[in-house]
């Protein structure tokens, strides 16, 4: 999710990190985490907590909102699925 939260991250670096995570067998999708059936409302709760005052998100050099975190969560899942497919590590 962090890789997808920062719009200024170099896309090739993002993919290199994700490919490394996949090579190590780390979870990179909702399915890998057993979270594929988690409703969006629950992800919104996560976004609310992670973007609250005093959270680590306040240390970012860019604004972080609950919605930007939720968007990044879904983007990370989509990117993880795409990369696994591209690398032949699909389902």
């Amino acid at each position: 999710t962090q890789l997808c939260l920062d719009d200024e991250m170099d896309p090739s670096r993002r993919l290199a990190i994700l490919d490394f995570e996949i090579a190590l067998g780390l979870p990179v999708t909702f399915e890998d985490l057993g979270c594929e059936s988690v409703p969006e409302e629950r992800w919104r709760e996560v976004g609310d907590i992670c973007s609250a005052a005093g959270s680590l998100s306040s240390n970012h050099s860019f604004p972080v909102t609950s919605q930007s975190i939720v968007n990044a969560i879904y983007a990370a899942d989509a990117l993880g699925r795409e990369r696994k497919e591209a690398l032949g590590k699909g389902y």
Side-chain angles (χ1 to χ4, degrees), residues 2-45:
Q2 180 65 40
L3 293 174
C4 294
L5 186 61
D6 185 353
D7 290 337
E8 294 184 15
M9 175 169 255
D10 179 278
S12 62
R13 184 169 184 200
R14 178 183 292 128
L15 292 181
I17 293 169
L18 185 57
D19 290 354
F20 178 68
E21 292 171 343
I22 291 169
L24 291 177
L26 296 174
V28 296
T29 65
F30 290 159
E31 183 177 19
D32 293 344
L33 293 167
C35 296
E36 63 270 25
S37 63
V38 172
E40 186 172 343
E41 302 83 52
R42 295 290 293 174
W43 293 124
R44 289 192 187 287
E45 291 176 24

Side-chain angles (χ1 to χ4, degrees), residues 20-76:
F20 178 68
E21 292 171 343
I22 291 169
L24 291 177
L26 296 174
V28 296
T29 65
F30 290 159
E31 183 177 19
D32 293 344
L33 293 167
C35 296
E36 63 270 25
S37 63
V38 172
E40 186 172 343
E41 302 83 52
R42 295 290 293 174
W43 293 124
R44 289 192 187 287
E45 291 176 24
V46 171
D48 290 345
I49 293 167
C50 291
S51 64
S55 72
L56 291 176
S57 294
S58 61
N59 294 324
H60 286 294
S61 60
F62 51 89
V64 176
T65 65
S66 179
Q67 188 59 53
S68 67
I69 290 172
V70 172
N71 292 345
I73 289 170
Y74 281 101

